[in-house]
Each structure stands twice: as C-alpha cells, then as structure tokens.
Amino acid sequence: MKGKLMYDVIVVGGSFAGASAAMQLARARQTVLIIDAGTPRNRFASEAHGFLAQDGRAPAAIMRDVHRQLLRYPTVEILSGEAVGARAIDGGFAIEASGGREHSARRLILATGVSDELPPIPGMNERWGETVLHCPYCHGYEVRDRPLGVIAAHPMSAHQAILIPDWGPTTYFTQGQFEPDTAELEGFAARAIIVERTPVVELIGEAPALDGVRLADGRFVEVGAVFTAPKTRPTTSLAAMLGCVHEDGPTGPYVKVDPWGATSVAGVWAAGDSATPMHNATLASAAGVLAGIGAHQASVRAKAG
C-alpha cells in the first residue's frame, strides 16, 4: 500500500447508517471515504416514514440531500460502486472496490445493510414496499382502515399480528406452519384478529395495489395490504471476510456489536440493519452516529497513547 492515500475511516454503505457515521467523522475532521453501491434496502418504497423531519419524502431524495451535505466537508469523498473485498493490512484495512481498485484506511465502518427474501408466494415481490410490508410503524399509517393481513413467516409473526389491528381489521394467515399458542390466541381474541389456517397461495389485484389473497382451497379473502417478515441476509460478505462474529436473529444473521457499534475485530465497526435484529431508519441512523463517534474516539485514544 506504499504511496497510496490511507484514509482515517472507510465507510462501506452510504444510506442512513453509513451517512450518519460519516457525518460525525467529517465534523471531527477525519478523512473519510464512503463507498456506496446505491442499492439501499428501502429503494422499493416510494416514501420514507417515521424519520424526523423527513416523513413522506422519497428515500432517494433524502439521500441525495445527505450526500450533498456530506460533500460540503473537505475531508469526505464518496465513491459510487460496490465493495467486493476486505482484508487487514499493516496499520489498518484494505477494501477492494468494483473495478479492482483498492482503498485503505486505519478503521472501517460497515453499514452494508441486508437483503430481503420474501415468502415464495406469487404477487409478493412486485408489491414489496407498497402493499406488502414488514414494519407497521414505517408504513401502517398509509394502509390504515383497510382490511389487513399478516402472512406468517417465522415464530415471531404472531407478535407482529398483535400490533396490526391499530391500523385496520386483521387476519392472521398461519400458512399451516405458525400456529399461535394459547396466550397468543387469547390476545388475538381480545384484538378481534381472525385466524386463517389455510395457506395463502397468491396475491390478487393490479400490482402494486392489492385486492386480496387466494387460499389453497380456492377461497378469496379481501385484504388491502399484508405484513410479513422476510428472511434477511447480509448484502455483502465483508464482515465475514474480516472475521467479525455474527449472531442469529429472528429473520437472519447480523454482526455482533457493542453499544458503540464495535465488532469483534479491532478497528472495525458496524451499524444499521446488518448489525441489529431491529430494522428501522431512525435506529439505523442513530447506530451510525454511535459508530462514527466510536471510531473517532478510538483514533483519539490511539494518538493519546
């Protein structure tokens, strides 16, 4: 790496978590390279909700403003592209970007996010982010007062279902696999949740709108939107390449971090959906702030001896 610029920090991922980390570092006058593939998890949603001062704006518009603000700081660079490799080097880390060029930094922040794998039901993918949803706090208000469904995808789906009646009358589809227990059934009764044990086999209507679902026995059930919990997986293997410890969450693995976002590998932090089982834009941004501060304070400690 001799002769090449070594940044203070490389941030991989330029959405809510990564950009929030980079902002703290920029304001601490750290040299920062953001490598952003431009494929955030929320790109399928037309609007972001529940994010302070940004409610109702398109996620892409929010990030354009954020990147413009970051580039006002002279120590920040943004590279459009994918980070495809990561390794430890003397004094820090090297990240290989698409195209083969390598960039080095003393510390890394991984804000790479996760990818969603929806239940394999025809009609799900083309409605994702509009009438097929995962977070009622993010999108429930926009589908309020419609008949709503929860398509069970894992053992926590019953917990998800108990929330939904505050937005509309709710049917819980067990898919023949995720039967509520006795206590959950009592909660369902108190919340007037209908339990349907025949599996959903198709979503009906002109996408992205939803008229209802067809069941395996041919019946049609009217619903205006459905909630489900997709399986999640890291969008990149960078954390695994570096040896970061992962934990198993209810929908998939995530990077184990301490309260400041530090991973099990010294000099590497992680933030956002790839580093928590709780997925929300505000939480991702807050985690990015902590990771950025944590990385800067590690630099201070190193210089102070």
Side-chain angles (χ1 to χ4, degrees):
M1 303 303 296
K2 185 177 180 181
K4 292 186 178 181
L5 172 65
M6 178 171 277
Y7 295 91
D8 289 317
V9 183
I10 291 177
V11 179
V12 183
S15 192
F16 289 105
S20 294
M23 182 66 76
Q24 310 311 308
L25 293 161
R27 295 185 58 77
R29 305 177 72 187
Q30 301 281 283
T31 56
V32 181
L33 174 65
I34 302 168
I35 302 176
D36 184 32
T39 55
R41 187 186 187 191
N42 62 7
R43 66 189 182 277
F44 301 102
S46 58
E47 295 181 348
H49 295 289
F51 196 89
L52 195 64
Q54 302 294 336
D55 190 68
R57 291 192 69 203
I62 296 172
M63 295 319 303
R64 281 195 297 271
D65 285 350
V66 169
H67 287 187
R68 186 163 53 247
Q69 291 167 7
L70 282 167
L71 289 173
R72 293 174 184 167
Y73 293 88
T75 58
V76 174
E77 297 177 40
I78 300 176
L79 173 65
S80 296
E82 185 178 359
V84 296
R87 61 189 179 91
I89 59 173
D90 185 26
F93 302 90
I95 297 291
E96 181 186 351
S98 51
R101 187 173 178 185
E102 205 167 61
H103 305 271
S104 62
R106 296 175 181 85
R107 290 165 296 283
L108 297 179
I109 295 178
L110 303 178
T112 51
V114 297
S115 298
D116 296 296
E117 181 183 337
L118 292 168
I121 300 170
M124 295 283 279
N125 289 329
E126 54 265 45
R127 295 176 172 84
W128 179 233
E130 297 294 336
T131 52
V132 174
L133 309 163
H134 74 102
C135 174
Y137 298 104
C138 299
H139 301 290
Y141 190 81
E142 281 62 47
V143 296
R144 65 194 181 278
D145 300 327
R146 307 179 195 179
L148 302 174
V150 174
I151 297 179
H154 65 72
M156 290 294 291
S157 292
H159 168 73
Q160 183 184 44
I162 206 76
L163 304 173
I164 304 303
D166 282 349
W167 289 274
T170 302
T171 299
Y172 176 73
F173 299 95
T174 72
Q175 296 302 94
Q177 300 179 64
F178 302 101
E179 179 69 23
D181 62 26
T182 300
E184 289 166 342
L185 285 171
E186 290 175 356
F188 280 16
R191 298 278 278 163
I193 297 171
I194 297 169
V195 178
E196 176 55 68
R197 294 175 172 85
T198 303
V200 174
V201 296
E202 185 181 7
L203 275 60
I204 304 297
E206 187 174 347
L210 178 63
D211 297 334
V213 298
R214 192 177 312 284
L215 305 184
D217 59 10
R219 284 182 293 138
F220 173 85
V221 178
E222 181 186 0
V223 290
V226 295
F227 291 84
T228 193
K231 294 179 182 178
T232 57
R233 62 184 185 278
T235 57
T236 78
S237 58
L238 298 181
M241 290 179 188
L242 293 164
C244 298
V245 172
H246 287 68
E247 295 190 306
D248 291 325
T251 63
Y254 62 95
V255 181
K256 182 179 181 180
V257 296
D258 75 4
W260 289 93
T263 73
S264 60
V265 176
V268 181
W269 285 255
D273 288 356
S274 64
T276 177
M278 297 181 291
H279 300 160
N280 175 281
T282 303
L283 296 177
S285 180
V289 169
L290 291 172
I293 292 172
H296 174 246
Q297 293 188 2
S299 172
V300 171
R301 289 192 296 271
K303 292 175 181 177

